[in-house]
Amino acid sequence: MYEEHTTEPLEVPGARRAGPSCPCRPAEVREAVVRAVSERCRATRTPCDADALEDALLVASELTTNAMLHGGGVIDFQVDVSGPGVRLSVSDRSDELPVAVPPTDRQGRRRPGGHGWPIVCRLSRDVRVSDLPAGGKCITAVVPLP
């Protein structure tokens, strides 16, 4: 995993940008990822790798869920599959950086949740967190496609 904190917004040439009807829920984001990957497979006449697609869907779902639970909601979503992987970008309203939460509290009791960020980091080849000019952040993760 590569993690970078910058003050520049990340612009991805050729990315599909969410407009006023931003896919803001995990199910909508997953549908957008399936469409984008399927179009790439059709355009390049290559079979879609089911495991890589599942990884991309899980990362997209986790980023979206985390933005909803911890970031004040999704304000933008982009998916780009023109390179060697699926680049997923989710923007939210929070300036707080994501953190991995220990599985237990100080008393040793197991905590619910806390698995999303480690999953994103484990399945992605590259993860970047960028500050947005108007506040908030954009998390971009690249999930490899064979």
Side-chain angles (χ1 to χ4, degrees), residues 10 56 59 63 80 83-89 120-128 139-145:
L10 181 65
V59 169
L63 287 174
D80 175 35
V86 180
R87 181 181 307 270
L88 306 160
S89 296
V120 168
C121 294
R122 196 171 313 119
L123 295 178
S124 302
R125 180 183 62 229
D126 186 22
V127 178
R128 296 175 188 245
I139 299 178
T140 300
V142 179
V143 181
L145 284 179

Side-chain angles (χ1 to χ4, degrees), residues 33-135:
V33 171
V34 168
R35 278 192 311 273
V37 171
S38 296
E39 286 176 19
R40 177 186 183 234
C41 291
R42 274 194 298 276
T44 60
R45 298 178 190 264
T46 58
C48 289
D49 183 290
D51 291 334
L53 177 58
E54 288 298 320
D55 288 350
L57 293 172
L58 182 55
V59 169
S61 184
E62 291 297 339
L63 287 174
T64 306
T65 300
N66 286 347
M68 292 170 62
L69 293 175
H70 310 293
V74 176
I75 58 173
D76 192 28
F77 170 75
Q78 296 179 42
V79 58
D80 175 35
V81 289
S82 62
V86 180
R87 181 181 307 270
L88 306 160
S89 296
V90 177
S91 298
D92 63 40
R93 293 176 173 85
S94 174
D95 294 327
E96 292 188 30
L97 298 175
V99 295
V101 179
T104 57
D105 63 16
R106 291 181 184 196
Q107 289 77 31
R109 295 177 296 211
R110 295 202 54 79
R111 297 178 201 251
H115 304 288
W117 186 242
I119 287 171
V120 168
C121 294
R122 196 171 313 119
L123 295 178
S124 302
R125 180 183 62 229
D126 186 22
V127 178
R128 296 175 188 245
V129 180
S130 303
D131 293 330
L132 297 173

